[in-house]
């Protein structure tokens, strides 16, 4: 990436070393990349009651942002090239804030519109924050990536934990969601100093024939797809599952917070461990088996919900960390890594977006959680099978 001469009177200004202000801005950006989605999950029963929604329609609200991830990622990269990464990231935070305002407006369609705007803003952040890390922290990419991963997961954990208590202290679900969107305003303010710099996003050559022809690509896409499907399904429905088992709204929120918080450590540790292994097949199967154990636990002993929130939380962090690590490990060249990442993440997020809706529809059809959780267990089996292929020491 290079500075835009048009912003400097025709001169190319060398990139300056990034300091603590930039790092703070990046971490605040990352805090917003899951928080708005996680905050909705513990409030879904209240949203359903207020808007008279079935489980399927409620699941759609949590599906829409993930669907944006899959559909809008290429356009997010184009936006970064057109207006610059720094400006695009400011627009992303303002989009999350605007979407939060829309989502708090009375009426179902305002909630839907706000959710889509939030999803678009998060998509821009998903795509462009790694570009900032690579550009501004070239000698600290590993540690800064770990910090941004921790911030992303931690933001989701905090949002999930505080949303229900805030709603039930007089704010209501709309007020709680609007207050959560205020974090994006803080990030936007902290990011303003970066507008003095302008870098363009790298071109993502998605869908090259050589990548699409490789069975490893599709094994990685299946692994990431099943990981995303189970994660977003549980992110959306874990509070409702445990509330249906007699747990209080605050307790359900804490369970979701634990689910997200415990993923921080494993999301950071998984890439380091994977890079030390010649083959990641056993590691991938272990992640899938941990997912399966937690899902079965929720099915047969929901009263132990904190235990199962712990197990699935560890699994989801390790799963996404391993998936992202495999994108690098299986690629033969930097260009191949970009092609592979673009293809796998687009497919993975599109598959993942079906999770909340699928669980909601199955819950409506059966009136219980047996079939929905059983379907997620099947997804864990597919994840394990994909890991056997994706984890082999074979480059794309």
């Amino acid at each position: 990436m290079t500075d835009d001469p048009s912003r400097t009177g025709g001169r190319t200004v060398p990139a300056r070393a990034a300091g603590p202000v930039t790092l703070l801005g990046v971490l605040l950006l990352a805090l917003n990349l899951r928080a708005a989605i996680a905050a909705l999950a513990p409030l879904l029963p209240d949203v359903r009651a207020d808007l008279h929604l079935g489980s399927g329609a409620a699941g759609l609200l949590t599906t829409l942002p993930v669907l944006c991830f899959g559909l809008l990622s290429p356009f997010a990269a184009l936006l970064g090239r057109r207006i610059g990464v720094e400006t695009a990231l400011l627009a992303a935070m303002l989009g999350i804030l605007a979407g939060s305002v829309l989502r708090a407006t009375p009426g179902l369609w305002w909630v839907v519109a706000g959710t889509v705007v939030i999803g678009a803003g998060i998509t821009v952040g998903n795509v462009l924050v790694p570009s900032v890390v690579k550009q501004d922290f070239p000698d600290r990419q590993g540690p800064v990536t770990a910090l941004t991963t921790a911030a992303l997961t931690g933001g989701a954990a905090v949002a999930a934990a505080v949303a229900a208590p805030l709603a039930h202290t007089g704010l209501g679900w709309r007020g709680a969601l609007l207050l959560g969107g205020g974090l994006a305003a803080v990030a936007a303010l902290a990011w303003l100093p970066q507008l003095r710099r302008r870098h363009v996003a790298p071109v993502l050559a998605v869908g090259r024939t050589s990548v699409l022809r490789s069975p490893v690509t599709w094994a990685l896409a299946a692994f990431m797809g099943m990981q995303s499907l189970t994660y977003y399904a549980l992110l959306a429905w874990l509070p409702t599952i445990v509330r249906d088992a007699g747990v209080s709204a605050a307790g359900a929120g804490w369970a979701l917070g634990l689910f997200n918080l415990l993923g921080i450590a494993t999301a950071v540790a998984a890439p380091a461990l994977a890079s030390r292994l010649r083959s990641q097949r056993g590691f991938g199967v272990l992640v899938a088996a941990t997912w399966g154990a937690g899902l079965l636990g929720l099915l047969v002993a929901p009263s132990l919900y904190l235990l199962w929130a712990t197990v699935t939380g560890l699994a989801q962090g390790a799963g996404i960390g391993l998936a992202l690590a495999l994108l690098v490990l299986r690629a033969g060249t930097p260009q191949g890594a970009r092609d592979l990442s673009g293809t796998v993440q687009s497919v993975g997020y599109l598959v993942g977006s079906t999770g909340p809706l699928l669980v909601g529809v199955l819950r409506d059809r059966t009136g219980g959680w047996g079939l929905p959780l059983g379907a997620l267990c099947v997804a864990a089996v597919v994840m394990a099978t994909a890991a056997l292929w994706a984890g082999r020491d074979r480059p794309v």
Side-chain angles (χ1 to χ4, degrees), residues 24-35 93 125 129 147-156 183 187:
L24 175 63
V26 169
L27 294 180
L28 286 172
L29 292 175
L31 278 172
N32 284 276
L33 297 185
R34 292 297 180 272
M93 294 301 104
V129 164
L147 287 174
T148 57
T149 301
L152 182 151
T153 312
L183 181 60

Side-chain angles (χ1 to χ4, degrees), residues 1 118 159 183 200 213 252 283 302 340:
M1 287 185 278
I118 288 171
L183 181 60
V200 297
R213 283 203 303 255
F283 188 13
L340 185 62

Side-chain angles (χ1 to χ4, degrees), residues 56 71 90 118 150 163 213 231 234 341:
L71 294 176
L90 177 64
I118 288 171
R213 283 203 303 255
Y231 169 69
L234 217 57
S341 177

Side-chain angles (χ1 to χ4, degrees), residues 42-229:
L43 301 175
L44 270 182
D46 302 308
V47 175
R48 290 175 59 193
D50 191 19
L51 300 178
H52 308 291
L53 303 179
S55 298
L60 179 63
L61 291 178
T62 51
T63 290
L64 286 173
V66 192
L67 190 60
C68 289
F69 298 170
L71 294 176
L72 301 183
S73 291
F75 301 100
L78 290 176
L79 180 67
R81 289 191 62 77
R82 179 62 62 89
I83 67 175
V85 171
E86 290 79 9
T87 304
L89 285 169
L90 177 64
M93 294 301 104
L94 295 177
I96 294 173
L97 177 60
S100 298
V101 173
L102 289 174
R103 194 165 62 170
T105 304
L108 173 60
W109 291 111
W110 287 115
V111 176
V112 172
T115 301
V116 172
V117 173
I118 288 171
I122 293 175
T123 302
V124 173
N126 284 343
V127 172
L128 298 184
V129 164
S131 294
V132 173
V133 173
K134 188 172 183 63
Q135 172 65 41
D136 292 339
F137 304 96
D139 299 326
R140 293 177 285 164
Q141 291 183 52
V144 174
T145 298
L147 287 174
T148 57
T149 301
L152 182 151
T153 312
V158 172
V162 305
L166 286 174
H168 295 130
T169 54
L171 288 176
W173 66 266
R174 287 188 174 89
L177 292 178
L178 182 58
L179 188 62
L183 181 60
V186 175
L189 289 173
W191 191 247
L192 281 175
Q194 306 308 317
L195 298 189
R196 293 174 297 178
R197 297 145 54 99
R198 183 182 187 273
H199 301 99
V200 297
V203 176
L204 296 178
V206 178
R208 291 287 182 87
T209 303
S210 59
V211 170
L212 294 176
R213 283 203 303 255
S214 172
V216 177
T217 299
W218 298 108
L220 282 168
F223 182 85
M224 188 162 189
M226 294 300 101
Q227 157 66 27
S228 297
L229 187 150

